[in-house]
Amino acid sequence: MPGDLLLTSHRDGVTTLTLHDPRRLNGWTVELLEALTGALRRADADPATRAIILTGTDPYYSAGVNLAGSFKLDAPAKLHAFIVERNMALFEAFLALDTPILVAVNGPAIGATVTSATLCDGVIASERATFSTPFARLGVTPEGCSSEVFPRRFGAAARRMLGPEGWVPNAREALAIGLVDHVVPHEQLLPEAEAIARQWIASGRSRTFPAGFDREQLRAINARESQVLADAFLAAPFLSGQFRFLWSKRKHSLALMFLALRLTRPAWALALPRRTAAT
């Protein structure tokens, strides 16, 4: 059941949400995202919750969003709008929070699960954590406000992570560039996260946003990135790449959908926004 995909506990004013789909490496499927966004809303509205911790069931924090897996054949303009809406909603779930949120990264984190963490108030990492943002390799564009947050926060390291190199820092490297605030032994991750959250409550900490941006600025970046991302998802390179990747994984039905989109693209691309149709 969808409720089993997310574990919730509450103690001393701290609500802990645990991504719990280890069979899929806690990947953000449609079902898990629905459970997560609902749980974030409920925790934020609960007067007894004064801090939130988000973590994952070992061994992964999360293998990232499977947006391609939620694709359905539809009119191109509707498909474009669907991608924009889903991507905006994903990060709005974090931007809308008024309650401080700490991400406790217990293992590998990929894609949107990294960029969403940088929209939170703090990140604590297990020594087993890694941080991958493979957008360039996948033929898509940065999301989660990372196109502007990463350069401002991480400088040259942002180009390494978001660009063709696809650098994947480990926990200590992430600490060095400022992506995470604390690195602890794996078995100490949750106790240390809970201690930090209690300190936040004791100090009366309020919600903060990264790199000097305010909420509305980040919402504007999210909206712009979501449009550009939808363009990339419907561009020929991404459609071809997804077909090859999914076919290699023997996901033939889904692979053939992407092949059909790629082969028929000259016919339907004219219905897309002008910048998308040209790619």
Side-chain angles (χ1 to χ4, degrees), residues 4 53 132 159 230 261 275:
D4 297 332
I53 295 172
S132 174
R159 293 192 296 274
L261 286 169
R275 65 176 183 269

Side-chain angles (χ1 to χ4, degrees), residues 9 91 178:
S9 63
F91 298 106

Side-chain angles (χ1 to χ4, degrees), residues 233 235-246 258-259 262-263:
F233 265 94
F238 178 77
L239 297 174
S240 298
Q242 282 294 295
F243 164 71
R244 291 191 296 269
F245 171 75
L246 293 166
F258 279 94
L259 179 61
R262 176 65 185 91
L263 293 177

Side-chain angles (χ1 to χ4, degrees), residues 80-253:
H80 188 277
F82 167 82
I83 298 168
V84 172
E85 178 186 352
R86 283 298 180 97
N87 193 73
M88 285 183 64
L90 190 165
F91 298 106
E92 175 61 21
F94 292 88
L95 294 175
L97 292 174
D98 291 320
T99 305
I101 178 169
L102 175 67
V103 179
V105 183
N106 56 295
I110 300 173
T113 68
V114 177
T115 57
S116 61
T118 66
L119 299 177
C120 297
D121 296 84
V123 180
I124 182 172
S126 157
E127 291 178 328
R128 300 179 187 176
T130 58
F131 300 84
S132 174
T133 49
F135 306 123
R137 178 173 58 81
L138 295 174
V140 296
T141 53
E143 33 77 319
C145 304
S146 60
S147 65
E148 297 197 31
V149 169
F150 273 40
R152 188 179 290 191
R153 285 189 62 183
F154 312 136
R159 293 192 296 274
R160 296 188 63 196
M161 292 184 69
L162 299 177
E165 179 184 349
W167 179 49
V168 181
N170 60 32
R172 292 294 174 186
E173 291 168 330
L175 179 66
I177 66 172
L179 196 160
V180 306
D181 305 295
H182 310 275
V183 176
V184 298
H186 187 71
E187 62 275 8
Q188 291 299 312
L189 180 64
L190 280 182
E192 291 292 338
E194 290 168 357
I196 292 169
R198 288 194 296 270
Q199 290 171 4
W200 286 1
I201 293 172
S203 67
R205 178 168 179 149
S206 58
R207 182 78 165 95
T208 60
F209 295 99
F213 290 105
D214 63 33
R215 195 193 318 255
E216 293 310 313
Q217 289 172 322
L218 292 169
R219 280 174 166 159
I221 296 169
N222 184 29
R224 175 183 57 77
E225 285 183 345
S226 296
Q227 291 285 342
V228 176
L229 183 70
D231 295 349
F233 265 94
L234 293 178
F238 178 77
L239 297 174
S240 298
Q242 282 294 295
F243 164 71
R244 291 191 296 269
F245 171 75
L246 293 166
W247 193 266
S248 72
K249 298 296 183 180
R250 298 186 179 182
K251 297 181 179 181
H252 294 155
S253 296

